[in-house]
Amino acid sequence: MTARTVGEVLVDLLEANGVDIVFGIPGVHTVELYRGLAASKIRHITPRHEQGAGFMADGYARVSGKPGVALVITGPGLTNTITAMAQARQDSVPMLVISGVNRRCSLGHGHGLLHELPDQLGMMKSLALYAHTLLNPTDLPAVIERAFSVLLSGRPGPVHIEIPTDVMAAKIDPGPFRAATATRPRADAETLQRAAVLLADARHPVILLGGGAITAEDEIRLLAERIDTPVVTTVNARGMFAGHPLRVPASPSLKAVRRLLAEADRVLAIGTEMGPTDYDINVDGDFPDLRSLIRIDIDAAQLARDSRATLSILSSAKAAAAGISGFLEGHRAASDGAQRAETARKASWAELTDKMRTEIGIIDTIYRTLPTAIIVGDSTQAIYAGNYYCDPPRPRSWFNAATGYGALGYAPPAAVGAALAAPDATIVCLVGDGGFQFSLAEIGAAADAGARVVFLVWNNDGYQEIEAYMLEAGIVPEGVKPSAPDFLAIGAAYGLPAERLADVAGLPEALERAAALNRPSLIEIHQEKTAGATA
């Protein structure tokens, strides 16, 4: 092969690993990485801020199931991306961030070069699953292969590769190279059989599903039906078991779901961190002690953090569920699973406030009106309500940043990434007036990309959730009333059709009009000025 620059070979390696889109803002510290991009099949999307590049990569990854890729400059470009990387780390989203760094001879010397950090690699090692500085140009194929192996094989998260500016232009002959392969852990048959025996012996089992279970729906469904158990889906697993009588699409923070778990004589938790943003949203400490917990996780460190488990199984969700189910062939279960699930669904719904049920009704309206809708949410009241209870029509059709790291401004750029991953779907970005202002300019990126996103702005004139929290704590609210722009005028400035609803009853028609456009648009619901927005 003819020698080519590191930047050109990098593009080839990304293509070989299935990358079709990269999100980034070019700068003098990355231009050499762009040398081969225009001639490739990879599409480049330009956000308005590097944090947007990371969130776009996140949304793309959640919908496509493939790693999202961001390309950013050294220093501020990378530090701007860190928030998105932290969200990906908390929610186990595969993200590859490739950045520049100053020339090799300058590293660690503190000469005050443009965009210099004291120790960029050291900073990233504290956050990324794998971080590497490409000091030797010929190492590029091996480094990329390792990066994708990390992204595909264990618990997903962010990976970072930095390339010095003097390395980018170096010419190399990479020789033949191959795409990375996934090597996921599989539990031994003895461990899986032990789990099957424990489940077969249970009279009232329950399954808990997290985002790590999302690729194993068929295998888990067969297992759940064989042991006839209710299946509780956390936020990142919502849409699994859609329409199934065993589903419980409600938060384990609700008393009704906790009661179901407290009464269970076996709980099988698959691909869930069991963290407080799912299991103790209200920080009341009342999550029950589980009588017998079996945990399946792809991350040994995650299993080691939990001393409650009767049995811990290091395995991918797909392999473990299939293996356990195989040992239960012909098993005759207690046959009350659907009844217990229905009781939990009804009790969970009854537990919600009228305001929350109204907000969830709007979410249901979106799914009924737009059958292909994917709702990408920010930290806003309607999303909080949906995280307590919502019943999406399929997996990967509901996700948001109100769990885990909880970054405001996530939804607008993440919705752009989601739209590019699923161009035939309509993406509804459900965002508050406060959070929208964190990343308002990304509607320009949506317009440039022709992304099919409906920006549905839930306007309550500030940070109403925080204001309510302050009042409940006896604190005089301060800093919770940032003024909002005229969102319709902002939409028009970027060329987006925009409308404000006078009545929530008009939402279906507004959504249909927006979806028919095949480009981004904006709808505003004002909590006080739009009739039907509150109970």
Side-chain angles (χ1 to χ4, degrees):
M1 296 179 70
T2 304
R4 289 166 299 144
T5 68
V6 163
E8 291 171 315
V9 175
L10 173 64
V11 171
D12 289 343
L13 290 166
L14 293 177
E15 277 193 318
N17 282 281
V19 175
D20 52 13
I21 296 178
V22 297
F23 305 93
I25 301 175
V28 295
H29 287 74
T30 54
V31 290
E32 279 295 337
L33 299 183
Y34 280 74
R35 184 174 291 278
L37 199 57
S40 75
K41 297 177 182 178
I42 297 176
R43 184 180 181 187
H44 184 274
I45 301 296
T46 307
R48 299 304 188 262
H49 189 280
E50 288 92 354
Q51 180 173 283
F55 285 148
M56 288 178 190
D58 178 301
Y60 174 89
R62 294 198 201 218
V63 171
S64 70
K66 303 193 302 182
V69 180
L71 188 57
V72 299
I73 65 166
T74 186
L78 184 59
T79 55
N80 284 343
T81 313
I82 283 177
T83 297
M85 295 177 72
Q87 185 75 47
R89 177 74 183 243
Q90 286 280 65
D91 283 352
S92 302
V93 177
M95 178 188 298
L96 173 59
V97 176
I98 301 171
S99 79
V101 72
N102 284 305
R103 59 186 182 270
R104 286 170 290 184
C105 64
S106 73
L107 299 180
H109 290 292
H111 292 314
L113 297 176
L114 180 65
H115 301 331
E116 186 177 59
L117 284 166
D119 183 2
Q120 183 167 286
L121 180 64
M123 177 181 69
M124 299 313 298
K125 281 184 174 179
S126 69
L127 175 61
L129 300 176
Y130 166 60
H132 182 84
T133 305
L134 186 70
L135 297 176
N136 185 343
T138 60
D139 288 343
L140 179 65
V143 169
I144 294 295
E145 183 176 357
R146 181 175 177 186
F148 276 95
S149 293
V150 170
L151 289 165
L152 299 173
S153 296
R155 182 183 182 185
V159 164
H160 172 241
I161 299 169
E162 61 181 18
I163 305 178
T165 52
D166 59 320
V167 172
M168 295 176 187
K171 290 194 172 183
I172 59 173
D173 181 352
F177 51 77
R178 61 183 183 180
T181 55
T183 308
R184 298 185 181 279
R186 298 174 67 93
D188 60 272
E190 182 180 352
T191 300
L192 298 177
Q193 186 175 29
R194 182 183 170 195
V197 170
L198 289 170
L199 292 168
D201 187 50
R203 301 283 297 180
H204 302 292
V206 174
I207 291 178
L208 288 169
L209 297 184
I214 204 165
T215 60
E217 183 172 24
D218 291 344
E219 292 80 5
I220 296 171
R221 183 187 297 109
L222 180 59
L223 173 59
E225 289 171 350
R226 283 186 172 170
I227 60 175
D228 192 31
T229 177
V231 179
V232 178
T233 51
T234 62
V235 171
N236 286 329
R238 290 288 168 79
M240 295 183 70
F241 280 71
H244 199 288
L246 293 174
R247 79 195 186 285
V248 182
S251 171
S253 294
L254 291 171
K255 292 177 182 177
V257 179
R258 289 177 170 183
R259 192 158 53 244
L260 176 71
L261 293 168
E263 294 169 354
D265 53 358
R266 290 280 188 280
V267 175
L268 175 62
I270 306 177
T272 172
E273 187 180 27
M274 301 189 74
T277 55
D278 268 314
Y279 290 82
D280 196 12
I281 296 173
N282 301 312
V283 199
D284 56 23
D286 286 339
F287 188 77
D289 291 329
L290 304 178
R291 279 189 274 171
S292 178
L293 173 64
I294 303 169
R295 285 198 67 181
I296 298 170
D297 205 280
I298 203 168
D299 183 6
Q302 184 59 242
L303 292 173
R305 294 185 189 107
D306 193 347
S307 60
R308 296 171 295 177
T310 301
L311 178 62
S312 295
I313 302 174
L314 179 64
S315 175
S316 71
K318 184 181 286 286
I324 295 170
S325 184
F327 285 113
L328 290 167
E329 189 171 355
H331 173 68
R332 301 183 69 176
S335 76
D336 67 345
Q339 180 182 343
R340 289 193 293 136
E342 183 179 12
T343 299
R345 288 196 301 271
K346 289 180 176 178
S348 295
W349 182 255
E351 193 177 326
L352 303 174
T353 65
D354 289 342
K355 179 178 181 296
M356 293 172 76
R357 284 194 285 265
T358 297
E359 292 162 349
I360 295 165
I362 290 172
I363 292 167
D364 290 343
T365 296
I366 295 171
Y367 285 127
R368 284 197 307 271
T369 306
L370 305 175
T372 66
I374 297 171
I375 299 178
V376 181
D378 213 76
S379 294
T380 192
Q381 289 189 318
I383 291 296
Y384 298 143
N387 282 350
Y388 275 107
Y389 191 110
C390 76
D391 200 2
R394 62 194 174 282
R396 302 186 191 274
S397 62
W398 171 269
F399 60 89
N400 56 77
T403 62
Y405 199 59
L408 270 171
Y410 165 86
V416 175
L420 295 169
D424 294 331
T426 300
I427 312 301
V428 177
C429 170
L430 186 49
V431 60
D433 57 298
F436 200 6
Q437 293 182 75
F438 275 57
S439 53
L440 187 57
E442 298 304 351
I443 61 177
D448 287 350
R452 197 177 179 188
V453 178
V454 180
F455 294 98
L456 183 56
V457 186
W458 190 271
N459 190 343
N460 56 27
D461 294 322
Y463 303 131
Q464 194 171 96
E465 188 75 15
I466 303 304
E467 181 180 8
Y469 190 88
M470 284 179 157
L471 289 169
E472 288 173 7
I475 299 168
V476 177
E478 187 64 57
V480 295
K481 291 291 186 182
S483 60
D486 182 336
F487 290 111
L488 272 61
I490 293 288
Y494 280 100
L496 272 64
E499 61 179 301
R500 182 179 295 115
L501 295 185
D503 194 309
V504 167
L507 180 59
E509 291 79 10
L511 289 169
E512 288 173 348
R513 286 192 295 271
L517 294 170
N518 260 343
R519 60 190 178 99
S521 57
L522 187 148
I523 300 170
E524 182 184 26
I525 294 175
H526 194 285
Q527 191 162 285
E528 302 301 328
K529 299 175 183 177
T530 301
T534 55

